[in-house]
């Protein structure tokens, strides 16, 4: 009479810990990684299931081995050698890819979105081809703690504005959105408060900036907008591209130009180019205006 005897021999109803670990693992396959980590705290059985390779391999991109190799290639520490071992637990692979993995001398980095498992990338302004960047009358790199890379390219004034770049990478399958991260005005701190200088801002309301994107498999996108709203960082949406084969590297080229030489323009910070899965891009404060 009374409650069912638990597996420990004590009276009372069954508990979550009485569930078979393989059943718990099946449930975890339907959860996102943050939910899996939360459930691992419930009991020893849940913790064991949450550490299983089968659970985490299902959350990794199909080409995770290539991504891990890219992370190792960009890591000059002793840890890089350990990344080549096939025996590394898939949970550790997931955690490693969620870190900022730098490429090309630290001018690019990629990481795995902890929630959705999609690959994101940031390309520093120093990795871009910027017209006039070597002439300090026009451009300077200035320190900025709001940048992932701790400095940004700042334009004082120029007639011919052109910024181009490219990246070749083994992107996992999916749809991606590409943005330029820009700021009108020069941000800085005064008495501990964030302010910005509008001294050089001019010319962006005369003609729109044109954004372009193309891929090695023939995809094209473009947009254009006037640059407005000084004092805030804005992610200007260039366009989207689709990756169908994660085992082939995709070359993505992108640009922003305003080459109408009838007027000068200036007062612009160029931080980086950001590539994110479309599901994440829809959550970003993307800003673009059709004209």
């Amino acid at each position: 009479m009374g409650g069912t005897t638990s597996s420990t021999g004590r009276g009372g109803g069954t508990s979550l810990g009485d569930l078979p670990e393989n059943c718990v693992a099946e449930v975890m396959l339907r959860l996102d990684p943050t939910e899996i980590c939360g459930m691992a705290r419930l009991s020893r059985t849940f913790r064991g299931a949450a550490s299983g390779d089968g659970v985490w391999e299902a959350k990794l991109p199909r080409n995770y081995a290539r991504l891990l190799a890219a992370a190792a290639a960009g890591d000059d520490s002793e840890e890089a050698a350990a990344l080549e071992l096939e025996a590394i637990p898939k949970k550790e692979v997931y955690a490693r890819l969620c870190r900022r993995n730098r490429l090309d001398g630290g001018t690019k980095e990629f990481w795995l979105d902890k929630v959705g498992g999609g690959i994101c990338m940031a390309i520093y302004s120093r990795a871009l081809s910027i017209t006039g960047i070597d002439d300090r009358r026009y451009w300077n790199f200035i320190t900025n703690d709001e940048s992932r890379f701790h400095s940004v390219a700042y334009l004082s004034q120029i007639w011919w504005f052109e910024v181009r770049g490219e990246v070749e990478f083994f992107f996992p399958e999916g749809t991606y959105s590409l943005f330029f991260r820009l700021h009108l005005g020069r941000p800085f701190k005064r008495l501990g408060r964030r302010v910005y200088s509008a001294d050089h801002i001019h010319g962006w309301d005369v003609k729109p900036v044109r954004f372009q994107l193309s891929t090695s498999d023939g995809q094209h996108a473009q947009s254009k907008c006037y640059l407005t709203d000084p004092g805030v960082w804005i992610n200007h949406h260039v366009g989207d591209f689709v990756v169908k084969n994660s085992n082939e590297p995709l070359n993505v080229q992108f640009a922003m130009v305003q080459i109408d030489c009838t007027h000068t323009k200036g007062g612009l910070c160029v931080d980086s180019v950001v590539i994110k899965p479309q599901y994440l891009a829809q959550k970003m404060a993307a800003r673009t205006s059709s004209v």
Side-chain angles (χ1 to χ4, degrees):
M1 304 290 290
T4 303
T5 302
S6 71
S7 58
T8 62
R10 293 175 295 184
T14 56
S15 67
L16 288 174
D18 296 320
L19 290 172
E21 190 172 299
N22 61 334
C23 291
V24 176
E26 283 295 321
V27 173
M28 289 183 173
L29 287 173
R30 292 157 176 79
L31 304 177
D32 66 44
T34 54
E35 292 171 330
I36 293 172
C37 292
M39 291 189 69
R41 303 187 186 100
L42 295 178
S43 72
R44 182 178 300 176
T45 300
F46 277 69
R47 186 163 55 253
S51 299
D53 277 356
V55 170
W56 288 100
E57 188 162 15
K59 305 302 176 185
L60 285 163
R62 287 198 291 180
N63 67 339
Y64 70 85
R66 291 189 182 276
L67 300 176
L68 194 63
D75 191 342
D76 58 3
S77 69
E78 296 180 359
E79 180 188 3
L83 297 178
E84 300 177 2
L85 298 177
E86 294 183 1
I88 181 172
K90 298 302 184 290
K91 183 178 180 180
E92 290 185 24
V93 173
Y94 197 96
R96 180 63 176 79
L97 293 179
C98 285
R99 290 165 49 183
R100 292 167 57 175
N101 299 286
R102 297 208 160 184
L103 307 171
D104 297 343
T107 60
K108 303 181 180 74
E109 61 183 35
F110 75 92
W111 64 97
L112 200 65
D113 172 45
K114 292 181 180 179
V115 177
I119 284 291
C120 307
M121 179 174 285
I123 302 162
Y124 180 27
S125 55
R126 287 188 184 273
L128 306 178
S129 175
I130 303 175
T131 299
I133 191 64
D134 295 325
D135 193 328
R136 292 194 175 184
R137 292 176 300 172
Y138 308 128
W139 290 91
N140 286 280
F141 283 99
I142 61 173
T143 301
N144 185 274
D145 59 8
E146 297 171 344
S147 168
R148 297 178 67 91
F149 300 94
H150 308 298
S151 70
V152 299
Y154 178 70
L155 172 66
S156 298
Q157 177 172 285
I158 206 165
W159 292 88
W160 184 287
F161 177 82
E162 185 173 18
V163 179
R164 295 185 179 275
E166 67 176 302
V167 64
E168 186 167 281
F169 195 68
F170 287 93
F171 290 97
E173 290 94 342
T175 301
Y176 295 82
S177 297
L178 187 145
F179 301 84
F180 273 86
R181 186 171 187 259
L182 309 174
H183 185 287
L184 275 180
R186 181 171 181 161
F188 61 95
K189 293 286 183 67
R190 176 183 291 164
L191 300 177
R193 297 184 60 184
R194 184 191 190 276
V195 294
Y196 75 95
S197 169
D199 290 347
H200 297 125
I201 300 175
H202 70 285
W204 304 110
D205 57 344
V206 179
K207 291 288 181 67
V209 174
R210 297 180 179 274
F211 298 93
Q212 303 166 349
L213 177 157
S214 63
T215 66
S216 53
D217 62 358
Q219 300 178 67
H220 298 274
Q222 60 181 357
S223 60
K224 55 184 178 179
C225 71
Y226 293 94
L227 302 188
T228 59
D229 298 335
V232 294
W233 287 103
I234 294 178
N235 295 297
H236 288 271
H237 184 214
V238 177
D240 301 333
F241 61 93
V242 177
V243 177
K244 296 181 180 179
N245 184 358
S246 64
N247 290 316
E248 294 290 337
L250 184 70
N251 182 276
V252 183
Q253 299 184 4
F254 42 84
M256 59 178 297
V257 298
Q258 213 290 37
I259 56 178
D260 184 338
C261 292
T262 61
H263 67 285
T264 62
K265 35 267 174 189
L268 179 69
C269 291
V270 179
D271 173 37
S272 58
V273 169
V274 180
I275 300 174
K276 292 197 173 187
Q278 192 177 62
Y279 73 85
L280 271 182
Q282 293 170 350
K283 299 178 182 178
M284 292 175 65
R287 175 63 177 268
T288 186
S289 304
S290 299
V291 292

